[in-house]
Amino acid sequence: MLTEIIRKHALRNRKQYGATNPRSIVGKVIADFPDAKKDMKTTMGEAARICEEVNALSEEELEEELSKYTFEEKKKEERGLVIPNAEEGKVVTRFPPEPSGYPHIGHAKAAFLDYELAKRYGGRMLLRFDDTNPEKEKPEYVDAIKEGLEWLGISCDGEPTYTSDNMEKFYSYAENLIAAGKAYVCTCPSEKVKEGREHGRPCACRALIPEEQKSRWKKMLEGSYGGGEAVLRYMGDLASANTALRDPTLFRIILFAHYRQGEQFRVWPSYDFAGPIMDSTEGVTHALRTKEYELRKPLYFAILRDLGLREPELVEFARLSIKNTKVGKRHIIPLVKGGLVHGWDDPRLPTLRGLRRRGILPDAIRNFVLSFGLKKSESEPGWSRLLTENRKLLDPVAPHYFFVPNPVKVMVEGAPKRTAKMKVHPNKDEHREYPVSETFYLPRAEIEGMKEGEVFRLKDLYNVRIIENMDELKAGYAGEELREGKKLQWVSEPLACEIWKPGDLFLNGEYNPESMDVEKGYAEKAVLGLEPGAMVQFERYGFCRLDSKEPLRFIYSC
Ligand code: ATP
Ligand code: MG
């Protein structure tokens, strides 16, 4: 108890100040555990020892350990999912994915924030497919996003909507802007547009009168210009220090069949244009976006103001990235297409499918992503924090089995014949039972270093003594008495099983071809009664998910 409390405060103190020492934490320790005062010598001695240990932890280890503790502040932070000008019962958020890839943990962060906020304020959350880029979007991705949200337990209010169903509305708003002299058709080559933006220089197109703009816009819609030959630009402020305001593109010509709208449209709105209009007209009160859009905030409001539309609140939060992997679709697509991973559900990927296949529970993802809240500061957590959340959830429920990696056969002389009985879970009165005689398979790595005379215990069975471990391995029965020391998992029949162990896909920014380890061994027979998707705890090994029964394969989770 005392050591646990000291450790908790030492960890936090180190996190806050870079290092910890007994004097900085003793006050908090006593506050949490007044008995510590009775024997200050022990308390300070323990504190000194623990602070030293904690100071020696790596950043990763520190984070991992810290995430096991709950502090008052942490709870407050969750409660602190607060948004400005929110009226109880009237909050409307939306999750606006583009169906251009499989959803990943970054989407889970955005979606959980939208969902939790709507729930906390007794409001609604909408799902909107932001699908105005025909080149990238597919129905397959729409389905994957719906399925991903359902798996996460996020239910949206009402039917999902599709930005691309509003094209006529966008055209009519565009015409309002053109008529008001707030938008112009630009036919300059893209390099020239870029250069003009950089130097804050207007082009000749900008100076044409609205009547002329109107007819050029008509030509855009009718097909007189080819792909890339004309864009509609916002009449912003070319001199603005904020480059997002320097006449951004509102519409471009994209000659590509749309997965939902077919070939009826050739002029497509940009996110800058469609985003605010959709948010405003769909009744969104609080639009959450990742921080990199912060510069575009004035543009969002300028467009709404020019169109006389209601202005929602914009709330920014940090984009999630994870150390040694890549989160964005743009990075994941080439890995999948290039065959560098085994598809969208490769357990090394941060896609929802990959996470599910790795046995990461939706609640672990939820707890993990919400732990960042609406904070804007970017951090790059490693997998370990997510895995710690997962372990916390699995530990009380996952049934226990034995898996013996890289097995070595051992004959135990004098072994009594009997039925071994092992608990399925320490908290449950359910058992797995096996008749055993003298043949066992044990983890080679554990046996290899053992010396003659060494005694260990077969877990939940009896003790065994090494008789010879030179060229040949000989062992003998060594009694029943419970003892300190090594307890090994075992199996009595060779049921071949492999375990995929996902590792870091990237190391120092480079693709790591050795990121998937495959470990072969034997599993106990009872696992044959499980169905794919089942989570287990292989004792002395880790939590794994049954991936396939034929061949028998698990994926290491955490
Ligand atoms: P990607 O880089 O994967 O293409 P995106 O932002 O283009 O990401 P969208 O489908 O447009 O993907 O995103 C839908 C929502 O999810 C947006 O609100 C976006 O801000 C959010 N989102 C996407 N990636 C992340 C991330 N890594 N962390 C937090 N939110 C994210
Ligand atoms: Mg995108």
Side-chain angles (χ1 to χ4, degrees):
M1 185 68 182
L2 176 66
T3 55
E4 181 90 340
I5 288 170
I6 294 175
R7 195 160 185 98
K8 167 173 160 173
H9 288 291
L11 287 164
R12 183 168 55 170
N13 193 236
R14 147 98 197 261
K15 167 84 182 166
Q16 284 170 334
Y17 299 104
T20 181
N21 61 69
R23 243 177 305 160
S24 325
I25 59 168
V26 67
K28 292 211 167 73
V29 170
I30 290 170
D32 264 6
F33 189 60
D35 277 356
K37 221 170 152 181
K38 288 191 190 148
D39 182 356
M40 281 306 283
K41 208 172 147 211
T42 308
T43 302
M44 291 308 276
E46 280 295 280
R49 180 181 67 78
I50 292 169
C51 286
E52 200 174 311
E53 272 176 32
V54 166
N55 283 330
L57 295 176
S58 70
E59 282 296 319
E60 270 277 272
E61 290 164 338
L62 178 70
E63 288 297 343
E64 173 161 357
E65 268 209 63
L66 263 175
S67 65
K68 292 179 196 153
Y69 293 97
T70 327
F71 295 96
E72 272 312 301
E73 285 89 317
K74 211 164 167 185
K75 285 190 222 144
K76 256 191 235 150
E77 198 179 278
E78 261 218 48
R79 268 188 253 126
L81 274 185
V82 280
I83 43 179
N85 301 317
E87 226 182 297
E88 189 66 32
K90 299 233 168 99
V91 166
V92 181
T93 62
R94 90 292 189 257
F95 175 57
E98 185 187 357
S100 56
Y102 277 73
H104 50 62
I105 194 161
H107 294 114
K109 177 175 179 185
F112 268 123
L113 286 171
D114 289 320
Y115 182 59
E116 287 300 317
L117 282 168
K119 254 198 337 203
R120 267 163 214 228
Y121 287 94
R124 293 182 300 134
M125 172 197 172
L126 313 176
L127 169 61
R128 172 169 86 231
F129 289 99
D130 240 337
D131 57 349
T132 54
N133 188 352
E135 282 174 289
K136 288 201 204 157
E137 298 148 1
K138 285 189 195 165
E140 173 192 350
Y141 301 140
V142 171
D143 294 341
I145 292 166
K146 287 185 184 163
E147 182 199 284
L149 290 173
E150 198 174 309
W151 177 66
L152 290 174
I154 296 179
S155 54
C156 306
D157 290 279
E159 285 299 306
T161 58
Y162 297 82
T163 303
S164 69
D165 287 350
N166 298 274
M167 295 296 282
E168 301 296 348
K169 183 155 92 186
F170 296 137
Y171 290 164
S172 122
Y173 282 127
E175 276 143 38
N176 291 355
L177 284 188
I178 294 167
K182 283 285 182 183
Y184 64 98
V185 174
C186 180
T187 53
C188 299
S190 58
E191 308 87 73
K192 227 187 121 195
V193 171
K194 192 164 163 245
E195 210 183 285
R197 264 200 195 114
E198 256 165 45
H199 299 102
R201 257 200 316 264
C203 64
C205 306
R206 197 183 205 261
L208 300 173
I209 52 163
E211 274 315 301
E212 182 67 18
Q213 304 295 0
K214 230 188 255 175
S215 83
R216 285 168 53 122
W217 166 251
K218 225 168 158 198
K219 277 163 76 182
M220 261 180 95
L221 294 178
E222 279 165 2
S224 311
Y225 298 113
E229 280 179 10
V231 294
L232 186 75
R233 294 174 69 182
Y234 184 62
M235 192 84 77
D237 177 4
L238 282 168
S240 174
N242 180 351
T243 49
L245 289 174
R246 296 185 189 174
D247 293 13
T249 300
L250 303 180
F251 284 85
R252 40 176 74 82
I253 297 170
I254 306 173
L255 303 176
F256 212 90
H258 188 272
Y259 78 97
R260 185 173 169 90
Q261 310 300 341
E263 298 192 17
Q264 47 175 331
F265 304 110
R266 58 195 319 275
V267 177
W268 293 92
S270 62
Y271 180 77
D272 281 333
F273 190 71
I277 294 178
M278 290 307 291
D279 287 343
S280 182
T281 58
E282 286 192 320
V284 172
T285 61
H286 293 79
L288 272 58
R289 316 207 283 188
T290 43
K291 203 181 68 171
E292 72 274 16
Y293 288 108
E294 215 159 22
L295 268 185
R296 314 196 80 76
K297 212 167 165 168
L299 176 61
Y300 182 99
F301 292 122
I303 290 174
L304 291 178
R305 236 170 282 137
D306 288 343
L307 293 172
L309 293 172
R310 182 188 58 90
E311 295 171 33
E313 294 280 343
L314 274 184
V315 180
E316 275 94 14
F317 63 93
R319 200 173 181 83
L320 176 66
S321 43
I322 292 185
K323 206 180 280 164
N324 294 338
T325 188
K326 304 257 169 145
V327 171
K329 280 179 280 196
R330 165 170 35 105
H331 301 290
I332 298 174
I333 289 171
L335 292 171
V336 175
K337 298 227 158 123
L340 296 175
V341 293
H342 308 284
W344 290 101
D345 65 349
D346 189 296
R348 288 167 293 183
L349 287 177
T351 52
L352 297 185
R353 291 218 179 164
L355 296 171
R356 178 167 65 185
R357 196 158 170 218
R358 189 177 177 164
I360 308 296
L361 304 178
D363 270 348
I365 297 176
R366 176 185 178 276
N367 297 345
F368 173 69
V369 297
L370 287 181
S371 73
F372 304 99
L374 285 171
K375 271 190 304 203
K376 284 202 234 176
S377 53
E378 314 260 350
S379 61
E380 199 182 43
W383 282 114
S384 62
R385 259 175 84 174
L386 175 63
L387 299 179
T388 302
E389 288 294 340
N390 207 43
R391 233 175 271 129
K392 269 196 258 178
L393 298 172
L394 287 170
D395 194 55
V397 292
H400 289 214
Y401 296 98
F402 288 161
F403 168 73
V404 177
N406 194 9
V408 57
K409 186 170 175 175
V410 182
M411 306 292 278
V412 179
E413 283 174 23
K417 274 207 169 83
R418 69 169 64 157
T419 299
K421 207 171 158 191
M422 287 94 79
K423 275 197 155 187
V424 170
H425 193 277
N427 305 341
K428 278 194 205 141
D429 217 16
E430 227 178 284
H431 294 85
R432 305 114 67 194
E433 295 189 5
Y434 295 96
V436 292
S437 54
E438 66 275 5
T439 313
F440 293 92
Y441 299 89
L442 303 176
R444 189 178 303 270
E446 303 276 2
I447 295 295
E448 245 162 18
M450 287 192 184
K451 306 235 163 27
E452 201 180 302
E454 217 173 310
V455 177
F456 63 92
R457 189 171 180 86
L458 295 177
K459 221 165 173 297
D460 301 313
L461 206 52
Y462 48 66
N463 304 325
V464 169
R465 175 176 286 109
I466 300 279
I467 297 173
E468 195 190 319
N469 193 6
M470 296 291 282
D471 305 325
E472 215 183 330
L473 176 63
K474 281 193 198 158
Y477 173 69
E480 306 284 330
E481 194 187 339
L482 273 177
R483 52 194 298 286
E484 293 280 301
K486 220 170 227 180
K487 294 187 182 63
L488 298 184
Q489 78 273 36
W490 51 269
V491 294
S492 53
E493 285 175 81
L495 173 64
C497 173
E498 68 176 32
I499 296 189
W500 285 6
K501 300 177 98 172
D504 287 331
L505 252 185
F506 288 83
L507 285 179
N508 306 317
E510 300 277 323
Y511 171 74
N512 171 16
E514 275 149 32
S515 44
M516 186 80 95
D517 227 16
V518 177
E519 186 143 52
K520 291 187 194 282
Y522 297 150
E524 70 171 75
K525 237 174 157 178
V527 301
L528 292 176
L530 300 168
E531 289 310 316
M535 294 300 305
V536 304
Q537 177 171 4
F538 281 130
E539 290 194 27
R540 306 187 67 251
Y541 192 82
F543 294 96
C544 298
R545 179 180 186 270
L546 180 56
D547 191 55
S548 141
K549 288 180 87 166
E550 274 177 65
L552 186 59
R553 175 174 65 232
F554 283 82
I555 291 179
Y556 186 86
S557 175
C558 53

